[in-house]
Short mmCIF file of all heavy atoms in Angstrom, two decimals:
data_model
loop_
_atom_site.label_atom_id
_atom_site.label_comp_id
_atom_site.label_asym_id
_atom_site.label_seq_id
_atom_site.Cartn_x
_atom_site.Cartn_y
_atom_site.Cartn_z
N TRP A 42 -41.33 60.49 62.29
CA TRP A 42 -41.26 59.41 63.30
C TRP A 42 -42.50 58.48 63.21
O TRP A 42 -42.35 57.25 63.52
CB TRP A 42 -41.09 60.05 64.63
CG TRP A 42 -39.76 60.61 64.78
CD1 TRP A 42 -39.37 61.94 64.85
CD2 TRP A 42 -38.51 59.97 64.83
NE1 TRP A 42 -38.02 62.08 64.96
CE2 TRP A 42 -37.47 60.88 64.92
CE3 TRP A 42 -38.14 58.56 64.73
CZ2 TRP A 42 -36.12 60.51 64.95
CZ3 TRP A 42 -36.81 58.24 64.80
CH2 TRP A 42 -35.80 59.20 64.85
N LYS A 43 -43.62 59.03 62.85
CA LYS A 43 -44.80 58.07 62.67
C LYS A 43 -44.58 57.11 61.56
O LYS A 43 -44.84 55.90 61.68
CB LYS A 43 -46.06 58.94 62.47
CG LYS A 43 -47.31 58.23 62.55
CD LYS A 43 -48.49 59.15 62.47
CE LYS A 43 -49.81 58.38 62.41
NZ LYS A 43 -50.95 59.14 62.15
N ILE A 44 -44.02 57.61 60.41
CA ILE A 44 -43.74 56.71 59.31
C ILE A 44 -42.67 55.73 59.63
O ILE A 44 -42.89 54.50 59.49
CB ILE A 44 -43.27 57.54 58.09
CG1 ILE A 44 -44.52 58.28 57.49
CG2 ILE A 44 -42.62 56.71 57.06
CD1 ILE A 44 -44.14 59.35 56.44
N MET A 45 -41.55 56.17 60.24
CA MET A 45 -40.45 55.21 60.56
C MET A 45 -40.81 54.25 61.66
O MET A 45 -40.46 53.06 61.58
CB MET A 45 -39.18 56.04 60.93
CG MET A 45 -38.65 56.86 59.75
SD MET A 45 -38.47 56.01 58.19
CE MET A 45 -37.29 54.82 58.56
N GLY A 46 -41.62 54.69 62.59
CA GLY A 46 -42.08 53.82 63.69
C GLY A 46 -42.92 52.68 63.06
O GLY A 46 -42.84 51.51 63.45
N SER A 47 -43.81 53.04 62.14
CA SER A 47 -44.67 52.09 61.44
C SER A 47 -43.82 51.09 60.68
O SER A 47 -44.10 49.87 60.75
CB SER A 47 -45.61 52.83 60.56
OG SER A 47 -46.40 51.88 59.80
N LEU A 48 -42.80 51.53 60.02
CA LEU A 48 -42.01 50.73 59.14
C LEU A 48 -41.00 49.82 59.99
O LEU A 48 -40.69 48.69 59.61
CB LEU A 48 -41.18 51.52 58.13
CG LEU A 48 -42.04 52.20 57.09
CD1 LEU A 48 -41.18 53.03 56.16
CD2 LEU A 48 -42.93 51.26 56.32
N CYS A 49 -40.54 50.38 61.07
CA CYS A 49 -39.43 49.67 61.87
C CYS A 49 -40.05 48.98 63.09
O CYS A 49 -39.28 48.37 63.81
CB CYS A 49 -38.42 50.72 62.28
SG CYS A 49 -37.56 51.45 60.88
N GLY A 50 -41.29 49.17 63.44
CA GLY A 50 -41.92 48.54 64.49
C GLY A 50 -41.66 49.06 65.84
O GLY A 50 -41.51 48.37 66.84
N PHE A 51 -41.69 50.43 65.94
CA PHE A 51 -41.60 51.07 67.22
C PHE A 51 -42.58 52.22 67.36
O PHE A 51 -43.00 52.73 66.32
CB PHE A 51 -40.09 51.59 67.56
CG PHE A 51 -39.62 52.68 66.66
CD1 PHE A 51 -39.92 53.99 66.77
CD2 PHE A 51 -38.75 52.32 65.58
CE1 PHE A 51 -39.39 54.98 65.90
CE2 PHE A 51 -38.25 53.27 64.75
CZ PHE A 51 -38.56 54.60 64.90
N SER A 52 -42.83 52.64 68.58
CA SER A 52 -43.76 53.66 68.76
C SER A 52 -43.12 54.99 68.56
O SER A 52 -42.02 55.29 69.09
CB SER A 52 -44.32 53.64 70.22
OG SER A 52 -45.03 54.87 70.54
N PRO A 53 -43.77 55.90 67.83
CA PRO A 53 -43.22 57.24 67.61
C PRO A 53 -43.24 58.08 68.86
O PRO A 53 -42.64 59.14 68.91
CB PRO A 53 -44.11 57.84 66.53
CG PRO A 53 -45.35 57.09 66.59
CD PRO A 53 -44.96 55.71 67.10
N ASP A 54 -43.84 57.56 69.94
CA ASP A 54 -43.89 58.23 71.21
C ASP A 54 -42.77 57.89 72.17
O ASP A 54 -42.72 58.42 73.28
CB ASP A 54 -45.24 58.04 71.90
CG ASP A 54 -46.41 58.54 71.07
OD1 ASP A 54 -46.27 59.63 70.44
OD2 ASP A 54 -47.48 57.85 71.05
N LEU A 55 -41.95 56.98 71.78
CA LEU A 55 -40.81 56.59 72.63
C LEU A 55 -39.88 57.81 72.82
O LEU A 55 -39.88 58.73 72.01
CB LEU A 55 -39.96 55.49 71.91
CG LEU A 55 -40.59 54.08 71.98
CD1 LEU A 55 -39.67 53.11 71.10
CD2 LEU A 55 -40.67 53.56 73.29
N PRO A 56 -39.08 57.78 73.88
CA PRO A 56 -38.08 58.87 74.04
C PRO A 56 -37.21 58.92 72.78
O PRO A 56 -36.89 57.92 72.15
CB PRO A 56 -37.30 58.43 75.28
CG PRO A 56 -38.23 57.56 76.02
CD PRO A 56 -38.99 56.84 75.02
N TYR A 57 -36.77 60.15 72.49
CA TYR A 57 -36.02 60.41 71.29
C TYR A 57 -34.81 59.54 71.12
O TYR A 57 -34.62 58.91 70.01
CB TYR A 57 -35.60 61.90 71.33
CG TYR A 57 -34.75 62.27 70.13
CD1 TYR A 57 -35.26 62.30 68.82
CD2 TYR A 57 -33.36 62.57 70.26
CE1 TYR A 57 -34.45 62.70 67.75
CE2 TYR A 57 -32.60 62.95 69.14
CZ TYR A 57 -33.12 63.02 67.93
OH TYR A 57 -32.40 63.34 66.85
N GLU A 58 -33.96 59.35 72.17
CA GLU A 58 -32.76 58.48 72.04
C GLU A 58 -33.14 57.10 71.72
O GLU A 58 -32.40 56.41 70.95
CB GLU A 58 -31.90 58.59 73.33
CG GLU A 58 -31.35 59.93 73.59
CD GLU A 58 -30.39 60.41 72.43
OE1 GLU A 58 -29.73 59.58 71.82
OE2 GLU A 58 -30.35 61.62 72.16
N MET A 59 -34.22 56.58 72.25
CA MET A 59 -34.66 55.17 71.92
C MET A 59 -35.10 55.08 70.46
O MET A 59 -34.81 54.11 69.81
CB MET A 59 -35.76 54.77 72.85
CG MET A 59 -35.28 54.49 74.27
SD MET A 59 -36.70 53.90 75.38
CE MET A 59 -36.94 52.28 74.67
N ARG A 60 -35.80 56.10 69.93
CA ARG A 60 -36.25 56.09 68.54
C ARG A 60 -35.00 56.12 67.66
O ARG A 60 -34.96 55.31 66.69
CB ARG A 60 -37.07 57.34 68.24
CG ARG A 60 -38.47 57.19 68.76
CD ARG A 60 -39.30 58.40 68.41
NE ARG A 60 -39.13 59.42 69.35
CZ ARG A 60 -39.07 60.77 69.16
NH1 ARG A 60 -39.39 61.26 67.98
NH2 ARG A 60 -38.90 61.56 70.12
N LEU A 61 -34.01 56.94 67.96
CA LEU A 61 -32.82 56.96 67.12
C LEU A 61 -32.10 55.64 67.15
O LEU A 61 -31.62 55.12 66.14
CB LEU A 61 -31.78 58.05 67.66
CG LEU A 61 -31.95 59.49 67.20
CD1 LEU A 61 -30.82 60.32 67.79
CD2 LEU A 61 -32.00 59.58 65.66
N GLU A 62 -31.97 55.01 68.32
CA GLU A 62 -31.34 53.68 68.47
C GLU A 62 -32.09 52.60 67.70
O GLU A 62 -31.48 51.89 66.92
CB GLU A 62 -31.26 53.32 69.90
CG GLU A 62 -30.45 51.99 70.12
CD GLU A 62 -30.29 51.72 71.57
OE1 GLU A 62 -30.28 52.58 72.45
OE2 GLU A 62 -30.22 50.46 71.89
N MET A 63 -33.42 52.65 67.82
CA MET A 63 -34.19 51.61 67.02
C MET A 63 -34.07 51.81 65.48
O MET A 63 -34.06 50.87 64.74
CB MET A 63 -35.58 51.64 67.53
CG MET A 63 -35.68 51.14 68.98
SD MET A 63 -37.29 50.97 69.59
CE MET A 63 -37.69 49.30 69.00
N LEU A 64 -34.05 53.12 65.17
CA LEU A 64 -33.97 53.43 63.70
C LEU A 64 -32.56 52.91 63.16
O LEU A 64 -32.49 52.24 62.17
CB LEU A 64 -34.07 55.00 63.51
CG LEU A 64 -34.24 55.43 62.10
CD1 LEU A 64 -35.58 55.03 61.46
CD2 LEU A 64 -34.13 57.01 62.03
N ASN A 65 -31.50 53.27 63.88
CA ASN A 65 -30.16 52.70 63.52
C ASN A 65 -30.11 51.24 63.51
O ASN A 65 -29.48 50.64 62.65
CB ASN A 65 -29.10 53.33 64.42
CG ASN A 65 -28.74 54.72 64.21
OD1 ASN A 65 -28.02 55.39 65.01
ND2 ASN A 65 -29.20 55.38 63.16
N ASP A 66 -30.69 50.59 64.59
CA ASP A 66 -30.74 49.11 64.59
C ASP A 66 -31.47 48.52 63.42
O ASP A 66 -31.11 47.50 62.94
CB ASP A 66 -31.45 48.66 65.88
CG ASP A 66 -30.54 48.85 67.07
OD1 ASP A 66 -29.29 49.15 67.03
OD2 ASP A 66 -31.04 48.70 68.21
N ALA A 67 -32.44 49.26 62.84
CA ALA A 67 -33.14 48.83 61.64
C ALA A 67 -32.29 49.07 60.38
O ALA A 67 -32.73 48.59 59.27
CB ALA A 67 -34.53 49.50 61.54
N GLY A 68 -31.21 49.74 60.54
CA GLY A 68 -30.36 49.99 59.37
C GLY A 68 -30.42 51.35 58.72
O GLY A 68 -29.91 51.57 57.62
N VAL A 69 -31.11 52.27 59.43
CA VAL A 69 -31.32 53.65 58.88
C VAL A 69 -30.53 54.71 59.66
O VAL A 69 -30.65 54.76 60.81
CB VAL A 69 -32.79 53.97 58.94
CG1 VAL A 69 -33.08 55.39 58.33
CG2 VAL A 69 -33.71 52.93 58.19
N ALA A 70 -29.78 55.47 58.89
CA ALA A 70 -28.99 56.59 59.46
C ALA A 70 -29.69 57.90 59.08
O ALA A 70 -30.45 57.94 58.12
CB ALA A 70 -27.62 56.57 58.96
N LEU A 71 -29.52 58.93 59.86
CA LEU A 71 -30.05 60.26 59.62
C LEU A 71 -28.98 61.28 59.58
O LEU A 71 -28.00 61.30 60.33
CB LEU A 71 -31.09 60.70 60.73
CG LEU A 71 -32.29 59.88 60.95
CD1 LEU A 71 -33.11 60.52 62.08
CD2 LEU A 71 -33.18 60.02 59.68
N TRP A 72 -29.18 62.32 58.62
CA TRP A 72 -28.29 63.48 58.63
C TRP A 72 -29.02 64.51 57.74
O TRP A 72 -30.12 64.30 57.28
CB TRP A 72 -26.97 63.15 58.06
CG TRP A 72 -25.86 64.02 58.64
CD1 TRP A 72 -25.94 64.92 59.68
CD2 TRP A 72 -24.50 64.13 58.13
NE1 TRP A 72 -24.77 65.52 59.93
CE2 TRP A 72 -23.84 65.13 58.95
CE3 TRP A 72 -23.84 63.54 57.10
CZ2 TRP A 72 -22.51 65.42 58.76
CZ3 TRP A 72 -22.53 63.88 56.92
CH2 TRP A 72 -21.86 64.75 57.75
N ASP A 73 -28.42 65.62 57.55
CA ASP A 73 -28.86 66.68 56.77
C ASP A 73 -27.80 67.05 55.67
O ASP A 73 -26.63 66.91 55.94
CB ASP A 73 -29.19 68.00 57.56
CG ASP A 73 -30.35 67.75 58.50
OD1 ASP A 73 -31.43 67.45 57.91
OD2 ASP A 73 -30.20 67.89 59.67
N VAL A 74 -28.24 67.49 54.51
CA VAL A 74 -27.24 67.87 53.47
C VAL A 74 -26.63 69.17 53.85
O VAL A 74 -25.45 69.32 53.66
CB VAL A 74 -28.03 67.97 52.10
CG1 VAL A 74 -26.96 68.38 51.01
CG2 VAL A 74 -28.68 66.69 51.66
N VAL A 75 -27.31 70.05 54.45
CA VAL A 75 -26.83 71.36 54.75
C VAL A 75 -26.21 71.34 56.14
O VAL A 75 -26.88 71.07 57.10
CB VAL A 75 -27.98 72.46 54.66
CG1 VAL A 75 -27.41 73.86 55.08
CG2 VAL A 75 -28.45 72.50 53.22
N LEU A 76 -24.93 71.74 56.27
CA LEU A 76 -24.27 71.89 57.56
C LEU A 76 -24.77 73.18 58.29
O LEU A 76 -25.10 73.20 59.42
CB LEU A 76 -22.77 71.99 57.38
CG LEU A 76 -21.92 72.45 58.60
CD1 LEU A 76 -22.04 71.48 59.67
CD2 LEU A 76 -20.49 72.70 58.11
N SER A 77 -24.74 74.32 57.48
CA SER A 77 -25.17 75.57 58.06
C SER A 77 -25.76 76.44 56.98
O SER A 77 -25.35 76.30 55.77
CB SER A 77 -24.02 76.28 58.76
OG SER A 77 -23.06 76.67 57.75
N GLY A 78 -26.65 77.35 57.37
CA GLY A 78 -27.22 78.29 56.42
C GLY A 78 -28.01 79.37 57.16
O GLY A 78 -28.41 79.16 58.23
N MET A 79 -28.19 80.47 56.49
CA MET A 79 -29.04 81.54 56.94
C MET A 79 -30.52 81.21 56.62
O MET A 79 -30.82 80.87 55.49
CB MET A 79 -28.65 82.86 56.32
CG MET A 79 -27.24 83.29 56.66
SD MET A 79 -26.98 83.60 58.38
CE MET A 79 -27.98 85.06 58.62
N ARG A 80 -31.34 81.25 57.63
CA ARG A 80 -32.75 80.95 57.36
C ARG A 80 -33.64 81.56 58.48
O ARG A 80 -33.56 81.14 59.63
CB ARG A 80 -33.01 79.47 57.26
CG ARG A 80 -34.45 79.12 57.03
CD ARG A 80 -34.71 77.70 56.72
NE ARG A 80 -34.44 76.87 57.85
CZ ARG A 80 -34.58 75.48 57.84
NH1 ARG A 80 -34.94 74.84 56.77
NH2 ARG A 80 -34.31 74.80 58.93
N PRO A 81 -34.49 82.43 58.05
CA PRO A 81 -35.52 82.90 59.04
C PRO A 81 -36.68 81.90 59.05
O PRO A 81 -37.10 81.49 57.93
CB PRO A 81 -36.01 84.26 58.45
CG PRO A 81 -35.80 84.12 56.94
CD PRO A 81 -34.57 83.21 56.78
N GLY A 82 -37.06 81.41 60.16
CA GLY A 82 -38.12 80.45 60.18
C GLY A 82 -37.64 79.07 59.78
O GLY A 82 -36.42 78.75 59.90
N SER A 83 -38.50 78.20 59.24
CA SER A 83 -38.18 76.82 58.96
C SER A 83 -38.41 76.38 57.54
O SER A 83 -38.20 75.20 57.20
CB SER A 83 -39.10 75.90 59.86
OG SER A 83 -38.79 76.16 61.17
N LEU A 84 -38.81 77.33 56.63
CA LEU A 84 -39.05 76.92 55.26
C LEU A 84 -37.69 76.70 54.46
O LEU A 84 -36.74 77.53 54.53
CB LEU A 84 -39.84 77.98 54.48
CG LEU A 84 -41.33 78.18 54.97
CD1 LEU A 84 -41.97 79.36 54.21
CD2 LEU A 84 -42.10 76.87 54.74
N ASP A 85 -37.66 75.57 53.82
CA ASP A 85 -36.49 75.27 52.98
C ASP A 85 -36.20 76.28 51.93
O ASP A 85 -35.01 76.55 51.63
CB ASP A 85 -36.59 73.87 52.37
CG ASP A 85 -36.42 72.68 53.41
OD1 ASP A 85 -35.94 72.92 54.53
OD2 ASP A 85 -36.88 71.58 53.09
N SER A 86 -37.25 76.82 51.41
CA SER A 86 -37.13 77.82 50.38
C SER A 86 -36.40 79.10 50.81
O SER A 86 -35.93 79.93 50.01
CB SER A 86 -38.51 78.21 49.79
OG SER A 86 -39.27 78.74 50.79
N GLU A 87 -36.26 79.28 52.14
CA GLU A 87 -35.65 80.48 52.71
C GLU A 87 -34.16 80.24 53.05
O GLU A 87 -33.50 81.22 53.50
CB GLU A 87 -36.39 80.92 53.98
CG GLU A 87 -37.83 81.37 53.68
CD GLU A 87 -37.93 82.62 52.76
OE1 GLU A 87 -37.07 83.51 52.97
OE2 GLU A 87 -38.78 82.62 51.97
N ILE A 88 -33.57 79.05 52.86
CA ILE A 88 -32.22 78.83 53.20
C ILE A 88 -31.34 79.56 52.20
O ILE A 88 -31.53 79.52 50.98
CB ILE A 88 -31.91 77.32 53.15
CG1 ILE A 88 -32.73 76.56 54.12
CG2 ILE A 88 -30.41 77.05 53.33
CD1 ILE A 88 -32.64 74.98 54.01
N ARG A 89 -30.35 80.33 52.79
CA ARG A 89 -29.40 81.07 51.97
C ARG A 89 -27.99 80.89 52.50
O ARG A 89 -27.85 80.52 53.68
CB ARG A 89 -29.72 82.59 52.10
CG ARG A 89 -31.06 82.99 51.64
CD ARG A 89 -31.26 82.93 50.08
NE ARG A 89 -32.49 83.34 49.65
CZ ARG A 89 -33.57 82.49 49.41
NH1 ARG A 89 -33.40 81.21 49.50
NH2 ARG A 89 -34.72 82.97 49.00
N ASP A 90 -27.01 81.10 51.72
CA ASP A 90 -25.59 81.03 52.08
C ASP A 90 -25.26 79.71 52.75
O ASP A 90 -24.54 79.65 53.79
CB ASP A 90 -25.24 82.25 52.99
CG ASP A 90 -25.47 83.57 52.36
OD1 ASP A 90 -25.19 83.67 51.13
OD2 ASP A 90 -25.92 84.48 53.08
N GLU A 91 -25.78 78.62 52.19
CA GLU A 91 -25.66 77.32 52.82
C GLU A 91 -24.21 76.76 52.54
O GLU A 91 -23.60 77.06 51.60
CB GLU A 91 -26.71 76.32 52.33
CG GLU A 91 -26.51 75.83 50.91
CD GLU A 91 -27.03 76.78 49.79
OE1 GLU A 91 -27.60 77.88 50.20
OE2 GLU A 91 -26.85 76.50 48.67
N LYS A 92 -23.81 75.93 53.52
CA LYS A 92 -22.59 75.16 53.39
C LYS A 92 -22.99 73.70 53.64
O LYS A 92 -23.75 73.41 54.54
CB LYS A 92 -21.54 75.63 54.43
CG LYS A 92 -21.09 77.03 54.15
CD LYS A 92 -19.99 77.45 55.12
CE LYS A 92 -19.47 78.82 54.85
NZ LYS A 92 -20.29 79.78 54.37
N PRO A 93 -22.48 72.74 52.85
CA PRO A 93 -22.87 71.39 52.96
C PRO A 93 -22.12 70.62 53.99
O PRO A 93 -20.98 70.95 54.39
CB PRO A 93 -22.58 70.78 51.58
CG PRO A 93 -21.35 71.56 51.17
CD PRO A 93 -21.57 72.98 51.69
N ASN A 94 -22.75 69.63 54.56
CA ASN A 94 -22.09 68.55 55.32
C ASN A 94 -21.24 67.78 54.45
O ASN A 94 -21.47 67.71 53.20
CB ASN A 94 -23.13 67.73 56.05
CG ASN A 94 -23.59 68.28 57.42
OD1 ASN A 94 -22.73 68.69 58.20
ND2 ASN A 94 -24.88 68.28 57.63
N ASP A 95 -20.30 66.98 54.97
CA ASP A 95 -19.37 66.16 54.13
C ASP A 95 -20.01 64.82 54.03
O ASP A 95 -19.60 63.91 54.58
CB ASP A 95 -17.96 66.14 54.73
CG ASP A 95 -16.97 65.64 53.70
OD1 ASP A 95 -17.40 65.04 52.69
OD2 ASP A 95 -15.81 65.70 53.98
N ILE A 96 -21.03 64.80 53.12
CA ILE A 96 -21.81 63.54 52.87
C ILE A 96 -20.77 62.46 52.37
O ILE A 96 -20.89 61.28 52.73
CB ILE A 96 -22.94 63.73 51.91
CG1 ILE A 96 -23.88 64.79 52.41
CG2 ILE A 96 -23.72 62.41 51.66
CD1 ILE A 96 -24.60 64.57 53.65
N ALA A 97 -19.97 62.89 51.42
CA ALA A 97 -19.00 61.91 50.85
C ALA A 97 -18.13 61.20 51.89
O ALA A 97 -17.88 60.00 51.86
CB ALA A 97 -18.15 62.55 49.77
N ALA A 98 -17.61 61.97 52.88
CA ALA A 98 -16.81 61.43 53.93
C ALA A 98 -17.60 60.40 54.76
O ALA A 98 -17.11 59.35 55.18
CB ALA A 98 -16.22 62.51 54.81
N LEU A 99 -18.89 60.73 55.07
CA LEU A 99 -19.72 59.82 55.84
C LEU A 99 -19.91 58.52 55.09
O LEU A 99 -19.83 57.41 55.63
CB LEU A 99 -21.11 60.41 56.11
CG LEU A 99 -22.03 59.57 56.97
CD1 LEU A 99 -21.73 59.86 58.47
CD2 LEU A 99 -23.46 59.88 56.66
N LEU A 100 -20.11 58.59 53.77
CA LEU A 100 -20.31 57.43 52.97
C LEU A 100 -18.99 56.56 52.88
O LEU A 100 -19.04 55.32 52.82
CB LEU A 100 -20.80 57.72 51.55
CG LEU A 100 -22.17 58.39 51.49
CD1 LEU A 100 -22.48 58.84 50.10
CD2 LEU A 100 -23.20 57.43 52.04
N ARG A 101 -17.87 57.21 52.88
CA ARG A 101 -16.62 56.49 52.92
C ARG A 101 -16.42 55.75 54.31
O ARG A 101 -15.90 54.60 54.33
CB ARG A 101 -15.39 57.41 52.69
CG ARG A 101 -15.26 57.79 51.22
CD ARG A 101 -13.91 58.54 51.04
NE ARG A 101 -13.73 59.75 51.75
CZ ARG A 101 -14.15 60.95 51.37
NH1 ARG A 101 -14.84 61.05 50.26
NH2 ARG A 101 -13.97 61.94 52.14
N GLU A 102 -16.86 56.45 55.37
CA GLU A 102 -16.69 55.83 56.67
C GLU A 102 -17.66 54.67 56.89
O GLU A 102 -17.31 53.71 57.51
CB GLU A 102 -16.90 56.90 57.75
CG GLU A 102 -16.64 56.39 59.15
CD GLU A 102 -16.73 57.41 60.19
OE1 GLU A 102 -16.78 58.61 59.91
OE2 GLU A 102 -16.77 57.06 61.44
N TYR A 103 -18.86 54.78 56.40
CA TYR A 103 -19.95 53.85 56.55
C TYR A 103 -20.23 53.12 55.22
O TYR A 103 -21.21 53.53 54.58
CB TYR A 103 -21.21 54.43 57.20
CG TYR A 103 -20.89 54.91 58.59
CD1 TYR A 103 -20.54 56.25 58.88
CD2 TYR A 103 -20.95 53.99 59.63
CE1 TYR A 103 -20.23 56.68 60.09
CE2 TYR A 103 -20.70 54.48 60.96
CZ TYR A 103 -20.30 55.80 61.16
OH TYR A 103 -20.04 56.24 62.46
N GLU A 104 -19.42 52.28 54.79
CA GLU A 104 -19.44 51.73 53.41
C GLU A 104 -20.65 50.89 53.23
O GLU A 104 -20.97 50.52 52.04
CB GLU A 104 -18.19 50.92 53.12
CG GLU A 104 -16.90 51.76 53.10
CD GLU A 104 -15.68 50.92 52.96
OE1 GLU A 104 -15.74 49.72 53.03
OE2 GLU A 104 -14.63 51.55 52.73
N THR A 105 -21.41 50.52 54.24
CA THR A 105 -22.55 49.65 54.10
C THR A 105 -23.70 50.44 53.62
O THR A 105 -24.73 49.85 53.18
CB THR A 105 -22.97 48.92 55.36
OG1 THR A 105 -23.09 49.94 56.43
CG2 THR A 105 -21.88 47.93 55.78
N ILE A 106 -23.69 51.79 53.63
CA ILE A 106 -24.81 52.68 53.17
C ILE A 106 -24.79 52.49 51.66
O ILE A 106 -23.82 52.96 51.00
CB ILE A 106 -24.66 54.07 53.61
CG1 ILE A 106 -24.79 54.11 55.15
CG2 ILE A 106 -25.69 54.99 52.94
CD1 ILE A 106 -24.56 55.50 55.78
N GLY A 107 -25.83 52.03 51.09
CA GLY A 107 -25.92 51.87 49.64
C GLY A 107 -27.10 52.66 49.05
O GLY A 107 -27.28 52.71 47.80
#
Side-chain angles (χ1 to χ4, degrees):
W42 290 111
K43 190 174 176 186
I44 288 171
M45 296 313 295
S47 176
L48 296 178
C49 299
F51 63 82
S52 170
D54 299 323
L55 287 174
Y57 177 69
E58 292 302 325
M59 288 181 73
R60 284 181 276 147
L61 276 183
E62 184 176 331
M63 294 184 87
L64 192 67
N65 285 169
D66 286 347
V69 180
L71 294 179
W72 208 13
D73 291 301
V74 180
V75 177
L76 166 67
S77 66
M79 297 296 293
R80 177 171 67 182
S83 296
L84 292 176
D85 287 341
S86 60
E87 298 294 322
I88 297 172
R89 302 286 181 264
D90 302 321
E91 73 278 357
K92 293 182 178 36
N94 273 310
D95 195 346
I96 306 296
L99 184 86
L100 295 173
R101 283 191 300 275
E102 184 175 348
Y103 296 93
E104 295 176 352
T105 55
I106 295 173

